[in-house]
Amino acid sequence: MNKHVETLPDARGHFGRYGGVFVAETLIPALQELTAAYQEAKQDPAFQAEFTAELAHYVGRPSPIYFARRFSEALGGARIYLKREDLNHTGAHKINNCIGQALLAKRMGKRRVIAETGAGQHGVATATVAARYGMECVVYMGAEDIRRQAANVYRMKLLGAAVVPVESGSKTLKDALNEALRDWVTNVSQTFYIIGTVAGPHPYPMMVRDFQSVIGKECREQMPRLAGRQPDVVIACVGGGSNAMGIFYEYLRDRDVRLVGVEAAGEGLASGKHAASLTMGRPGVLHGNRTYLLQDENGQILATHSISAGLDYPGVGPEHAWLKETGRAEYVTVTDAEALAAFHDLTRYEGIIPALESSHAIAYAKRLAPTLPKESIILVNLSGRGDKDMHTVAERSGMSMSS
Amino acid sequence: MSRIAKRFAELADSGRKALIPFITAGDPTPMATLPLLHALVAAGADIIELGVPFSDPMADGPTIQRASERALSYGVSLRQVLAMVHEFRQKDTNTPLVLMGYANPIESYGWQAFVQDAQRAGVDGVLTVDYPPEEATDFAALLYAHGLDPIFLLAPTSTPERCALVARLGRGYVYYVSLTGVTGSTALHLEEVLKRIPSLRAHVSMPICVGFGVRDAASAARIASVADGVVIGSRLIEIIEESPIAEASLRASAFLRSLRAAIDGVSDPGG
């Protein structure tokens, strides 16, 4: 294993052959300006201090780590610990990155922020920080996702954001991203595009990872105090992959810590209805970076499926593609049914209702824990809470919300 | 000399500017493309940009996006687009054809296989919207080696350094994006374009053609007064879209003739 795995990307945003800047010319100067502004902010103690203070007082960090004792005992193997990103303000890890990018937007003098959203978590987080800093906010969301995530749409509107339904293509996250890029190219001089995951053109994969890496930093401090040592395995769900990069990044240097990313197998990999880009895709170029994509034999991007809107994306952050290629992280899949079962398990055993995205990570922990000795430690990134998913779960479980 | 360079040399000799229609291959149907290409040439096209349909055309406005979706509904692939070019070349060996599209269909096809097949089919230039020069150095070298011209975009936001970069790597012509926006936008600021093009010539010795947002004969003529060519895409596709399929080619031709007349500075004989 080469030791520079944690020092990537290179100056032009490449993680090995992945990443890069694959956008139309009009956006290149804006990305160069953003890269320069971010590099400057990163070195500026005042910026870092403000970011840290916001995370402490507004988001509620550090988020705790919780030992899921009853769940672990029921599984009869490794001890399972949960990094409680679900306890953050707005209910998921997404806010960490939004605070960082909004502070950067403020620093760059941009008063208008735009975002794409799938499940609505990133949209809510963006609308929240826009309210917090007094910025104009436009959120692009696939029409299909708007239908699936009505509560989050209402939250965004309450927060003062304009939510624009996207009717093109598959009407989900990838199409929302296309539309946000179109807005950005049109309004590039006064607009800051807050990308919600570790994908997109450089510097986004690096910048979002850096802002989210607070998750792993805290874990490395918390685990020895709580469990006596670092975990043997770290598990996180992967759609675009920001919560996974957030918890993996600080552990990259700990070679004996296994890093496992869990992709959405939807209705099963054989069904074709899934969102497992790393497992079933092949490298290509989409949304500004080279990475693993779900695509047909002609290079057209495929529609994806997952019970969780937040994992329903045909690409994945380029750093994950790199970690897969180098073998530093492994990537597995969990079906809708397994995620749903894990959702119910954690709710009943621990009184914690996980987001359906995070339920994929829980489901893999459930599969893995019984195969490991009792002294093993698994750390799961519980990236968000499940309140937003009540409707989906009720529908799938044959219950009605009103009865 | 490449077909594109030859065409610009001919135009310069006769004191004319290039008229470059853009259509999406396979739109409105795969059968329609070949007759449409020939009709556009007959109506005065100097070069044709042929769009390769892509599922996620993020630099395009709704018009070209719909054209892409129509073509994809027939399953039109890059391989089929090359077959259309090959077919076109059986009757027309003079009109340069430039493939315009996105990176992923080419990535999926494979660079080496693509440049070989494109050359064999009779393609002259390749404009890949999401391959900026930084990411396209090796690809451009492959294109040169097969006698194909890599065509790059410049935009109102491009710095002098970037203009120089495009001038160094690009061949054939430079495609100047007339506005900060997507294709088919109505936000064209003609005066800014008229000011900008002459200043680009300090960096770029290749012909400069202007597209995005050109919607009528009058603005095409104004742009042709400073640029070496005018690209007309979304408006042409709207006309094709609005016409019954049997008449699409005829109406597109009539529109193109009116542009031809306008940029050549003569009144349209049709009225």
Side-chain angles (χ1 to χ4, degrees):
Chain A
M1 176 68 57
N2 42 15
K3 79 182 221 334
H4 69 272
V5 71
E6 59 265 28
T7 61
L8 292 177
D10 66 17
R12 276 160 49 187
H14 295 115
F15 302 88
R17 63 180 172 133
Y18 304 106
V21 184
F22 293 90
V23 296
E25 174 64 25
T26 316
L27 288 178
I28 298 269
L31 288 164
Q32 290 176 338
E33 180 196 357
L34 177 60
T35 305
Y38 175 61
Q39 294 296 5
E40 211 185 273
K42 200 174 169 178
Q43 313 296 331
D44 180 356
F47 179 85
Q48 292 301 333
E50 189 177 7
F51 180 53
T52 305
E54 289 291 275
L55 290 183
H57 301 288
Y58 191 65
V59 177
R61 303 204 72 93
S63 66
I65 291 181
Y66 169 77
F67 174 38
R69 184 184 302 275
R70 290 192 67 227
F71 187 48
S72 303
E73 283 172 4
L75 294 170
R79 285 180 288 157
I80 298 174
Y81 289 79
L82 307 175
K83 177 61 171 169
R84 298 291 308 276
E85 292 299 299
D86 61 315
L87 294 178
N88 290 342
H89 180 42
T90 72
H93 71 291
K94 293 289 186 190
I95 189 90
N96 304 327
N97 166 53
C98 287
I99 297 273
Q101 290 197 47
L103 290 178
L104 192 56
K106 203 163 63 129
R107 191 183 166 96
M108 293 172 74
K110 314 252 181 189
R111 304 300 304 170
R112 178 176 184 266
V113 296
I114 59 170
E116 83 295 335
T117 197
Q121 292 305 91
H122 174 58
V124 167
T126 304
T128 300
V129 299
R132 162 80 182 84
Y133 301 119
M135 293 165 162
E136 183 191 345
C137 178
V138 178
V139 178
Y140 291 91
M141 189 168 183
E144 173 62 20
D145 289 336
I146 285 184
R147 191 189 62 75
R148 291 194 280 189
Q149 305 286 341
N152 269 346
V153 174
Y154 186 60
R155 286 168 82 192
M156 287 185 267
K157 288 181 179 167
L158 280 177
L159 289 159
V163 180
V164 180
V166 177
E167 299 283 354
S168 59
S170 61
K171 304 176 190 185
T172 59
L173 179 56
K174 81 175 175 78
D175 310 286
L177 229 150
N178 292 336
E179 211 54 43
L181 281 166
R182 291 183 183 116
D183 178 314
W184 199 32
V185 82
T186 305
N187 303 294
V188 63
S189 64
Q190 69 276 28
T191 298
F192 191 105
Y193 181 13
I194 300 187
I195 291 185
T197 192
V198 287
H202 180 64
Y204 285 100
M206 169 183 78
M207 182 169 71
V208 176
R209 173 201 72 196
D210 290 351
F211 289 138
Q212 291 293 2
S213 68
V214 64
I215 301 172
K217 273 187 202 121
E218 288 174 3
C219 289
R220 285 184 98 252
E221 282 176 29
Q222 291 166 314
M223 284 304 287
R225 275 190 272 127
L226 191 68
R229 64 184 177 87
Q230 298 299 343
D232 300 296
V233 188
V234 174
I235 302 175
C237 64
V238 177
S242 70
N243 90 82
M245 272 326 301
I247 197 166
F248 286 178
Y249 187 60
E250 293 293 321
Y251 280 112
L252 289 178
R253 67 184 108 136
D254 300 326
R255 296 288 184 240
D256 47 353
V257 176
R258 265 177 77 189
L259 305 175
V260 184
V262 185
E263 296 195 292
E267 295 178 14
L269 296 179
S271 73
K273 293 183 172 178
H274 59 78
S277 321
L278 287 164
T279 307
M280 301 297 282
R282 55 197 172 90
V285 168
L286 180 70
H287 294 151
N289 64 113
R290 185 176 281 128
T291 188
Y292 275 76
L293 301 174
L294 291 170
Q295 51 181 315
D296 71 11
E297 69 279 12
N298 298 316
Q300 306 298 343
I301 307 306
L302 293 171
T304 52
H305 165 82
S306 169
I307 190 171
S308 85
L311 302 184
D312 209 347
Y313 179 64
V316 63
E319 195 164 5
H320 286 294
W322 168 245
L323 292 177
K324 175 189 161 89
E325 190 165 293
T326 57
R328 179 61 191 93
E330 50 195 293
Y331 294 88
V332 299
T333 64
V334 153
T335 63
D336 286 353
E338 290 171 290
L340 202 56
F343 172 97
H344 287 296
D345 288 345
L346 198 71
T347 302
R348 290 296 180 95
Y349 280 114
E350 301 291 351
I352 296 173
I353 302 179
L356 282 172
E357 290 77 11
S358 323
S359 298
H360 286 71
I362 302 288
Y364 188 70
K366 188 179 152 187
R367 204 192 291 167
L368 185 65
T371 71
L372 299 177
K374 283 194 190 312
E375 58 278 13
S376 295
I377 298 177
I378 295 175
L379 174 62
V380 178
N381 196 5
L382 188 64
S383 55
R385 63 177 176 238
D387 307 43
K388 70 183 175 60
D389 296 313
M390 293 297 101
H391 206 84
T392 308
V393 173
E395 213 171 88
R396 287 288 294 247
S397 313
M399 286 186 246
S400 151
M401 291 280 286
S402 50
S403 63
Chain B
M1 190 188 279
S2 79
R3 233 182 318 242
I4 294 174
K6 190 160 167 274
R7 178 51 48 100
F8 277 106
E10 292 162 2
L11 287 163
D13 284 347
S14 58
R16 296 164 81 217
K17 299 301 173 72
L19 175 58
I20 310 178
F22 168 98
I23 57 167
T24 297
D27 173 51
T29 68
M31 295 297 289
T33 301
L34 195 62
L36 195 52
L37 289 173
H38 289 303
L40 292 172
V41 173
D46 295 302
I47 297 171
I48 298 178
E49 290 185 350
L50 187 58
V52 179
F54 182 50
S55 53
D56 293 79
M58 56 255 168
D60 285 299
T63 302
I64 292 180
Q65 201 180 346
R66 282 197 304 273
S68 229
E69 284 175 3
R70 281 192 294 272
L72 289 175
S73 74
Y74 292 100
V76 173
S77 63
L78 178 53
R79 194 170 298 280
Q80 282 167 270
V81 176
L82 292 177
M84 291 174 189
V85 173
H86 180 78
E87 196 64 30
F88 175 78
R89 282 280 169 252
Q90 305 310 306
K91 283 192 191 160
D92 187 329
T93 53
N94 295 322
T95 311
L97 279 182
V98 172
L99 294 189
M100 182 166 180
Y102 292 82
N104 204 53
I106 294 174
E107 298 251 321
S108 173
Y109 202 104
W111 281 2
Q112 189 67 46
F114 169 72
V115 293
Q116 278 169 1
D117 291 356
Q119 180 189 28
R120 207 169 296 148
V123 170
D124 301 291
V126 179
L127 197 174
T128 312
V129 175
D130 48 353
Y131 275 159
E134 288 88 341
E135 299 286 359
T137 314
D138 296 343
F139 184 60
L142 259 183
L143 291 174
Y144 304 152
H146 288 78
L148 300 169
D149 290 332
I151 291 159
F152 291 100
L153 302 172
L154 282 175
T157 51
S158 299
T159 56
E161 294 73 40
R162 299 201 57 75
C163 296
L165 184 61
V166 162
R168 204 162 61 238
L169 208 61
R171 298 265 173 94
Y173 60 94
V174 164
Y175 187 129
Y176 181 72
V177 174
S178 62
L179 47 83
T180 56
V182 293
T183 53
S185 167
T186 52
L188 179 65
H189 294 288
L190 210 47
E191 298 308 321
E192 282 175 30
V193 177
L194 298 179
K195 264 208 317 259
R196 185 71 198 272
I197 300 298
S199 70
L200 283 180
R201 303 218 187 256
H203 309 280
V204 180
S205 54
M206 268 177 286
I208 300 172
C209 301
V210 177
F212 278 46
V214 183
R215 298 188 61 80
D216 54 48
S219 50
R222 295 287 303 281
I223 287 170
S225 71
V226 293
D228 301 296
V230 181
V231 184
I232 184 90
S234 294
R235 185 65 201 120
L236 183 62
I237 287 175
E238 278 170 20
I239 288 169
I240 293 169
E241 190 174 44
E242 289 157 6
S243 308
I245 287 185
E247 287 173 39
S249 178
L250 213 63
R251 292 197 196 174
S253 299
F255 175 61
L256 206 66
R257 272 195 196 91
S258 71
L259 295 188
R260 175 84 267 167
I263 69 173
D264 288 349
V266 296
S267 62
D268 181 354

